Amino acid sequence: QVQLVESGGGSVQAGGSLRLSCAASGNTYSSRWMGWFRQAPGKEREGVAEIHTGGGGTHYVDSVKGRFTISQDNAKNTVYLQMNSLKPEDTAMYYCAAAKPDRLWVGLEGYEYNYWGQGTQVTVSS
């Protein structure tokens, strides 16, 4: 079992930045994929970025490439999402998720992830 707690959401104007944090506890000694997902009202959940805590490989959805950066601090069991040049369309509830260690490929698909945090709201005004 893995428990995830997100923080760092808030309200910013377009062009601003936020850094989200996801602190993991429980079974954190195994390498695995960790991801950030978001869901806006009336829209489907969308995979934003993911990172493998063992090899450091990353994937991003096209709409955030060049603006968002996912990173990790293994000593703190924390994954971050640095979000720059924010746009109103980035407004959503952002969720951290963790896959089981045996998942070799997750491809930003929510159904591949097994553990979810409660979410943190990001609101970007124009």
Side-chain angles (χ1 to χ4, degrees):
Q1 291 289 332
V2 176
Q3 293 77 44
L4 304 171
V5 178
E6 303 97 334
S7 62
S11 297
V12 296
Q13 290 191 331
S17 298
L18 284 173
R19 189 177 79 157
L20 306 184
S21 299
C22 173
S25 60
N27 180 1
T28 58
Y29 55 82
S30 298
S31 298
R32 66 181 74 230
W33 286 100
M34 298 284 295
W36 285 97
F37 291 78
R38 65 187 180 187
Q39 187 166 21
K43 294 188 177 181
E44 293 187 356
R45 183 179 60 196
E46 175 185 42
V48 176
E50 61 191 6
I51 186 168
H52 195 276
T53 62
T58 59
H59 304 120
Y60 296 89
V61 69
D62 286 347
S63 61
V64 308
K65 287 180 180 178
R67 301 188 298 122
F68 291 10
T69 303
I70 190 171
S71 62
Q72 60 178 334
D73 185 334
N74 285 343
K76 296 182 179 180
N77 292 323
T78 300
V79 172
Y80 304 97
L81 184 67
Q82 178 67 44
M83 305 185 295
N84 299 328
S85 301
L86 282 161
K87 303 176 181 180
E89 50 263 45
D90 295 317
T91 295
M93 184 70 80
Y94 283 70
Y95 298 92
C96 177
K100 289 185 177 180
D102 61 353
R103 292 287 194 270
L104 300 181
W105 177 261
V106 288
L108 284 174
E109 296 287 357
Y111 63 81
E112 295 284 2
Y113 284 81
N114 308 95
Y115 310 103
W116 294 82
Q118 293 299 307
T120 185
Q121 177 68 38
V122 171
T123 302
V124 184
S125 59
S126 57

